[in-house]
Amino acid sequence: MFDNLEDIVVHYDEVMAELASGDVASDQNRFRKLMKEQSDLAPLVETYGEYKKAKQLQEDALEMLEMNDDEMREMAKEELAEGKRLEEELSEKLKILLLPKDPNDDKNIMLEVRAGAGGDEAALFAMQLYRMYTHYAESQNWKVEMIDVNENGIGGYKEVVAMVSGKGAYSKLKYESGVHRVQRVPETESGGRIHTSTASVAVMPEAEEVDVQIDMNDVRIDVMRASGNGGQCVNTTDSAVRLTHYPTGIVIYSQTEKSQLQNKEKAFTLLRSKLYEIELEKKQSAEAADRRSQIGTGDRSEKIRTYNFPQGRVTDHRINLTLYKLDKIMNGDIQELIDGCIAADQAAKLAKLNEQ
């Protein structure tokens, strides 16, 4: 599995040499491409360097075992054991680094949160989920731009759509797609009974124009005055934009900006992402067996997580992980859940690789 690593090291050295030459500075596209290559390859090259050191440590220890000095032999045994431990640890790390990467991992995302079963309580939960993702995005230094929101009148969201921009946004949040379930006593419930409500989350990689070509003859564009809450002028100018894509029936509404042009741009960005997701789903359906062996981006109909307020716990059903820190999680501290999904996904892919 590690046969090509020496070639990767040679290529990495060539990339570093070209970056250091200064000649590349005049070609910004080439410079950005090289910087991305350097960033992608560095963890692999560094880990491989440590792996070779662990192998060398064992070779040196084996030579020391041939000595007649008892103290040196004892030291050699310890170094041999340490070398073997490091080799095993670094070997697993290398396998993970060599797994095929999702080409969408570095992309920004389109995030949709929709209230499901449960009426007003579901809408309040959808609002809290959106707030949770917003706080997590802030902790990652990502930018969140709301595209559309449909409120229920008591602070809840029937639906909210936003763009999350930042390095690795899709690689981390792609595991959030699916149905999220909440169990708690609603504020409107006088009898104190625990209710179960749901909200669905969809995470789509942002699609650029090169990813999806839209035939403008397939799209109807309507402009209108924005409705609902907003800043000054939101209800006095025809700034809101609605797109209707005839072939798929997808309807996009964007109204959060004062400028019609900006709303139109956001609407087309979301439309491209939805069309891109449809193509991804077709491809993933064709690879159904591989799909079942991964955590990946969950099916929207799959119940992935339960938030139980009376017990203060959150359970991710895909990886059988339960955490008793619901308050922190609802405030955006979801890294442990994401890390668990990433680890489970990598373990499933490694197991599949070892079967081949």
Side-chain angles (χ1 to χ4, degrees), residues 109-227:
I109 65 159
M110 307 303 294
L111 171 70
E112 289 184 348
V113 184
R114 286 192 173 89
D120 285 343
E121 170 65 7
L124 287 169
F125 179 51
M127 178 274 294
Q128 288 179 304
L129 284 178
Y130 177 73
R131 178 177 169 272
M132 177 182 82
Y133 293 127
T134 300
H135 285 185
Y136 177 71
E138 288 170 358
S139 75
Q140 302 295 305
N141 295 314
W142 296 340
K143 181 182 178 183
V144 180
E145 295 177 88
M146 189 181 283
I147 292 173
D148 186 31
V149 61
N150 182 5
E151 299 183 49
N152 72 339
I154 59 170
Y157 294 162
K158 293 179 183 177
E159 176 187 2
V160 59
V161 184
M163 176 186 283
V164 181
S165 308
K167 184 174 174 57
Y170 185 72
S171 70
K172 294 180 179 179
L173 288 180
K174 64 183 177 182
Y175 301 100
E176 295 302 302
S177 287
V179 174
H180 297 242
R181 181 172 62 178
V182 62
Q183 295 173 329
R184 63 182 173 190
V185 179
E187 292 179 14
T188 53
E189 171 60 52
S190 57
R193 291 176 299 176
I194 294 174
H195 283 225
T196 298
S197 304
T198 61
S200 65
V201 174
V203 176
M204 298 165 283
E206 180 192 6
E208 299 171 16
E209 289 186 41
V210 293
D211 298 317
V212 177
Q213 296 293 324
I214 297 174
D215 185 341
M216 294 307 293
N217 293 320
D218 290 339
V219 182
R220 189 179 80 210
I221 304 173
D222 297 308
V223 295
M224 62 208 72
R225 291 186 181 180
S227 59

Side-chain angles (χ1 to χ4, degrees), residues 38-80:
Q38 186 272 334
S39 175
D40 290 345
L41 292 176
L44 181 59
V45 171
E46 288 167 11
T47 304
Y48 182 51
E50 293 299 315
Y51 174 80
K52 288 199 293 184
K53 285 181 185 176
K55 297 280 282 185
Q56 187 62 51
L57 181 65
Q58 292 176 71
E59 288 181 25
D60 294 343
L62 286 170
E63 287 183 14
M64 288 169 63
L65 281 173
E66 301 299 320
M67 298 181 180
N68 293 324
D69 189 319
D70 289 343
E71 190 175 334
M72 293 296 287
R73 284 167 58 84
E74 198 59 40
M75 187 186 298
K77 287 179 185 177
E78 291 176 9
E79 290 194 357
L80 184 61

